[in-house]
Amino acid sequence: MIQNNESSPILSGAIKRRTSRSVIIAHGDRQVIVGGDAPIVIQSMTNTDTVDAIGTAIQIKELARAGSELVRITVNTQEAAAAVASIREQLDRMGVDVPLVGDFHYNGHTLLKEFPDCAQALSKYRINPGNVGQGAKRDSQFAQMIEIAARYNKPVRIGVNWGSLDQGLLARIMDENAQRNSPWSAQSVMYEALIVSALENAQRAEQVGLAGDKIILSCKVSGVQDLIAVYRELARRCDYPLHLGLTEAGMGSKGIVASTAALSVLLQEGIGDTIRISLTPEPGGDRCKEVIVGQEILQTMGLRKFTPMVIACPGCGRTTSTVFQELADDIQTYLREQMPVWKTQFAGVEAMNVAVMGCIVNGPGESKHANIGISLPGTGESPAAPVFVDGVKTVTLRGENIAKEFQQIVLTYVQSHYG
Ligand code: SF4
C-alpha cells in the first residue's frame, strides 16, 4: 500500500542534546567545556610508554594537531607519574596547549600523592572505580584520589568498564536481583551494576568534597547494543556529562563500524558530551585515525564541522581507470593537511563541500550541489572534466595535471570565500 503525505513536512536532525551540567577542563588559558551547551568534544589516548616523555609529547602533539581536544595518557607507574610534568613542559614549549587527562588504575591514590607535579600538570583524572582497590581499602583509596582532585581543583571522569567492574558491587546487585519476584536476566543485572557503579561513585565523590560540576561519567562496554542500552539508562538517571565510547572496538573497519553504529544511535538521541573512538591501530598505523573517525562521525551526522567534506561516488563499471580514485584521495588528503593552517585563517572553511564524481551520470548534478565539484570522464566519454563552482560550470580541465589544477581552484575558492 502507498500512502500520501500532504500534512506534515519531513524533518531531519538529531534530538536536542540532553540537559547536563558543564565541566571545564583547563590548561592555562585553554578551556575545554564538556557538557551543557558546549559542542561535543573529541578526545583520544596515547599508546606510547608515558615514561618516554619525548615520544609521548610528540604523539600528543600529533593527536592535538589532528583535532583531539583532550588527550589522555596512562599513568601506571612511579616512573610514568614522574614523567608527566616533563611531558606537559615539552608540550608548552612546543605551543601545544591541549589539556592532558591522566588514566589511573590500582595505584592512582599513591601516585597522585607522591607526585604532586603530576597531579598539578594533569587537567583531569580518569578514575576506574573497579580498579581502585579491594575490600576495605577501596573506599579509602577512592576518597584519597577524589580529595586530591578537589585540592587541585581538577575534574574527574568516573570511568566504569565492564572488563573491570567492581565485583563487590556486582555481587550486591545480584543479591538484590535474587530477591525480586521476577528476577532480571544476567545481562540486565550487568547493565544495572555498571550504571549503579558510576552513579554511586559520583555520589561518593561529591560527599568527599568534589563539586558536582567536576564530574563526568562513562560506562564502557564492547557490544554495540549493550552500549546503547546502558547509556540510554545512564542518561535518564543523572545530569552529569557523559563520555561516550565503545571500549575495545577493535581493528580496522570493524572497529570503525562498531563505534559508528553505537555512537550514532546515542548521539542521534541527544546522548553524549565527549567521544573517544577506541581503535586498535594496525601495526605501524597512525594513532590519529581515532581522532579522524570521531570527527567524521560528528560531521557526517551534522553535529559539528571540522574539515571540508569530500563527496565522492563509489565508482563503477563506467570508471575503469584509477584517475578518479586518485583524484578523490588526493583532494581529501590535501584538504585535511591544510586544515591546521586554514582553520586559523579562513573562518567557516570547515563547512565547505567538495564533490569528486566519476562520470556524467551523476557527476554534473552532484557537483552542482557542492561548493566545488568536478566530474571526471567515465570510460568512453570525451577526456574532459568540467568543474562547477557554486553550481556554475566554470572551466573544463584536461590532461595530466587535473589534480594540481583542481587543488588550485579549491585554494582560490577558499581564499576568496572564507576568512
Ligand atoms: S557517477 Fe558515474 S562512475 Fe560514479 S557511480 Fe555513478 S555511474 Fe558510476
Side-chain angles (χ1 to χ4, degrees):
M1 190 174 74
I2 296 174
Q3 292 187 355
N4 293 329
N5 171 23
E6 286 167 9
S7 53
S8 50
I10 300 167
L11 303 175
S12 73
I15 291 171
K16 186 177 177 305
R17 279 249 300 288
R18 128 191 191 276
T19 303
S20 73
R21 309 173 199 210
S22 52
V23 174
I24 298 172
I25 300 149
H27 173 63
D29 293 336
R30 175 85 180 268
Q31 289 196 338
V32 176
I33 301 175
V34 174
D37 294 328
I40 298 166
V41 168
I42 299 277
Q43 59 177 288
S44 61
M45 185 171 185
T46 58
N47 63 351
T48 51
D49 182 353
T50 307
V51 176
D52 173 10
I54 292 176
T56 301
I58 289 170
Q59 190 177 72
I60 293 167
K61 183 181 179 186
E62 288 167 354
L63 290 164
R65 193 170 190 273
S68 187
E69 293 158 310
L70 299 171
V71 178
R72 183 159 45 116
I73 57 178
T74 192
V75 188
N76 54 336
T77 60
Q78 293 193 328
E79 292 75 16
V84 169
S86 154
I87 292 168
R88 181 71 269 172
E89 281 163 21
Q90 292 190 41
L91 290 168
D92 292 344
R93 276 201 297 273
M94 292 191 285
V96 179
D97 61 357
V98 66
L100 297 181
V101 182
D103 199 62
F104 293 95
H105 300 268
Y106 313 114
N107 55 358
H109 60 294
T110 310
L111 296 177
L112 285 168
K113 199 163 38 189
E114 291 180 357
F115 294 88
D117 288 352
C118 165
Q120 181 57 51
L122 294 169
S123 300
K124 178 176 148 221
Y125 310 151
R126 182 272 170 116
I127 302 174
N128 178 342
N131 282 347
V132 291
Q134 298 295 325
K137 288 185 182 167
R138 193 205 158 282
D139 285 354
S140 139
Q141 292 175 181
F142 178 80
Q144 287 174 51
M145 294 181 78
I146 296 297
E147 278 164 9
I148 293 169
R151 192 179 330 137
Y152 287 94
N153 200 27
K154 306 287 183 182
V156 159
R157 169 162 68 99
I158 295 175
V160 179
N161 190 304
W162 78 338
S164 49
L165 186 55
D166 178 345
Q167 293 304 303
L169 181 137
L170 178 61
R172 193 191 90 207
I173 302 280
M174 287 170 72
D175 288 346
E176 288 170 7
N177 188 49
Q179 307 301 318
R180 289 193 171 92
N181 291 334
S182 303
W184 297 351
S185 68
Q187 187 182 46
S188 296
V189 169
M190 191 269 290
Y191 293 165
E192 180 68 11
L194 285 161
I195 294 164
V196 169
S197 177
L199 295 178
E200 287 190 353
N201 281 290
Q203 206 172 23
R204 205 168 291 147
E206 289 203 49
Q207 285 162 359
V208 171
L210 192 65
D213 63 359
K214 295 273 182 214
I215 299 173
I216 295 170
L217 298 185
S218 67
C219 282
K220 291 198 184 177
V221 296
S222 58
V224 170
Q225 295 294 350
D226 296 324
L227 193 87
I228 294 168
V230 167
Y231 270 83
R232 278 179 177 156
E233 182 62 8
L234 182 63
R236 193 185 69 76
R237 282 159 68 169
C238 71
D239 66 351
Y240 297 110
L242 299 183
H243 166 126
L244 219 58
L246 189 74
T247 194
E248 294 111 28
M251 197 176 236
S253 61
K254 187 267 171 184
I256 295 171
V257 170
S259 294
T260 307
L263 267 56
S264 55
V265 169
L266 291 164
L267 293 167
Q268 184 71 5
E269 295 177 9
I271 298 169
D273 303 288
T274 174
I275 65 171
R276 191 245 164 155
I277 310 299
S278 300
L279 293 182
T280 310
E282 320 278 342
D286 185 355
R287 189 64 166 180
C288 295
K289 194 163 186 182
E290 67 175 60
V291 178
I292 293 166
V293 171
Q295 290 181 333
E296 287 177 344
I297 291 173
L298 296 183
Q299 185 152 355
T300 53
M301 290 188 72
L303 298 171
R304 277 190 77 179
K305 289 183 170 31
F306 298 94
T307 197
M309 295 297 276
V310 174
I311 298 149
C313 79
C316 67
R318 295 179 62 93
T319 51
T320 47
S321 82
T322 57
V323 175
F324 158 66
Q325 289 106 307
E326 284 162 7
L327 183 65
D329 183 52
D330 180 274
I331 198 69
Q332 186 151 301
T333 306
Y334 172 74
L335 292 170
R336 190 163 280 285
E337 285 176 355
Q338 302 312 306
M339 270 316 283
V341 175
W342 280 4
K343 71 182 176 194
T344 65
Q345 297 177 345
F346 305 116
V349 67
E350 63 278 4
M352 182 174 72
N353 285 319
V354 178
V356 179
M357 300 295 290
C359 82
I360 200 168
V361 171
N362 288 325
E366 190 70 63
S367 296
K368 284 180 190 169
H369 290 304
N371 296 97
I372 306 174
I374 186 167
S375 176
L376 287 167
T379 311
E381 294 174 7
S382 83
V387 174
F388 297 82
V389 175
D390 290 331
V392 178
K393 184 176 161 189
T394 56
V395 66
T396 299
L397 302 180
R398 290 185 173 82
E400 300 297 306
N401 283 325
I402 285 183
K404 281 278 163 271
E405 289 171 27
F406 188 57
Q407 264 182 28
Q408 186 55 50
I409 291 169
V410 170
L411 178 60
T412 304
Y413 184 91
V414 168
Q415 289 168 334
S416 59
H417 285 72
Y418 302 99

